[in-house]
């Protein structure tokens, strides 16, 4: 059976490149990550606007800067959450025995006026604030994750540098003494 697909192999003739057409050479993984090794267009296919090439580099720099600022924001939110938790624990701490004695003396002397406790409201407000900060931290974290998943090395460096800068700037706020 001559017409069977597996009996013979036919190869299509190689096409000659069209005039003015640039064929891209295969690029290595490092060339893809760093944006190196892009094919150089011929004189006929170069863009007429040289500003378009520079706008691409400016857009990448702006993207890295935005991602860096997002990472700083992420670290600031993380430190703010820890600070708010510390303040909540200090404000809502278990009363000491001395405070209990003083409250018992006050209660026995004026039994007709019951003191209004603000601790449940205070606890609710602290917990609500922590919940909002947690949601903001998760959203910013997922945006940074999506940016890193673009597999662009410069974006990754922006996240790492922003995380370091954010921790460096926000860590003094954690001084809780």
């Amino acid at each position: 059976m001559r017409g069977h697909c597996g009996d013979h192999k036919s190869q299509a003739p190689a096409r000659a490149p069209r005039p003015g057409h640039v064929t891209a050479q295969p690029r290595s993984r490092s060339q893809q990550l760093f944006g190196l090794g892009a094919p150089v267009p011929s004189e006929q296919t170069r863009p007429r606007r040289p500003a378009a090439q520079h706008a691409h580099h400016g857009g990448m720099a702006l993207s890295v800067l935005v991602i860096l600022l997002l990472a700083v924001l992420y670290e600031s939110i993380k430190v703010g959450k820890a600070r708010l938790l510390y303040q909540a624990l200090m404000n809502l701490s278990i009363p000491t025995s001395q405070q209990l004695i003083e409250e018992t003396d006050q209660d026995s002397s004026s039994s007709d006026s019951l003191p209004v406790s603000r601790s449940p409201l205070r606890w609710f407000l602290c917990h609500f604030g922590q919940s909002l900060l947690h949601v903001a931290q998760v959203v910013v974290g997922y945006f940074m994750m999506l940016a890193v998943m673009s597999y662009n090395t410069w974006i990754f460096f922006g996240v790492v540098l922003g995380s370091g800068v954010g921790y460096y700037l926000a860590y003094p706020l954690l001084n809780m003494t």
Side-chain angles (χ1 to χ4, degrees):
M1 294 188 147
R2 291 189 78 137
H4 194 268
C5 293
D7 288 343
H8 71 285
K9 295 180 182 177
S10 63
Q11 293 182 353
R15 291 186 189 177
R18 291 180 283 165
H21 179 70
V22 177
T23 58
Q25 299 295 324
R27 296 172 19 178
S28 70
R29 186 73 175 146
S30 64
Q31 288 174 331
Q32 290 174 352
L33 290 176
F34 286 102
L36 303 173
V40 178
S42 68
E43 196 62 42
Q44 297 155 344
T45 60
R46 286 184 193 235
R48 304 238 185 252
R49 297 172 291 156
Q53 290 177 343
H54 298 296
H56 174 70
H57 295 299
M60 177 56 74
L62 183 63
S63 297
V64 171
L65 180 67
V66 167
I67 293 299
L68 187 136
L69 292 175
L70 272 177
V72 169
L73 178 66
Y74 181 84
E75 290 296 326
S76 301
I77 291 172
K78 189 166 65 171
V79 167
K81 249 175 62 173
R83 179 123 175 126
L84 187 61
L85 177 64
Y86 177 79
Q87 288 177 349
L89 291 176
M90 288 289 102
N91 288 337
L92 304 174
S93 63
I94 300 172
T96 62
S97 59
Q98 181 65 30
Q99 290 172 337
L100 286 174
I101 292 170
E102 290 173 2
E103 288 176 4
T104 306
D105 289 343
Q106 288 175 354
D107 287 344
S108 63
S109 64
S110 60
S111 59
D112 16 326
S113 63
L114 295 173
V116 177
S117 175
R118 290 188 169 230
S119 66
L121 177 63
R122 205 179 262 172
W123 179 86
F124 173 77
L125 291 176
C126 286
H127 186 64
F128 185 73
Q130 286 175 335
S131 299
L132 288 178
L133 283 177
H134 177 75
V135 168
Q137 183 183 7
V138 168
V139 168
V140 170
Y142 274 118
F143 278 137
M144 288 190 324
M145 180 193 66
L146 286 172
V148 168
M149 287 178 63
S150 70
Y151 296 107
N152 185 306
T153 306
W154 301 113
I155 296 289
F156 175 75
F157 287 153
V159 169
V160 171
L161 183 64
S163 182
V165 168
Y167 185 79
Y168 178 78
L169 293 176
Y171 184 75
L173 297 175
L174 260 181
N175 188 7
M176 297 180 198
T177 55

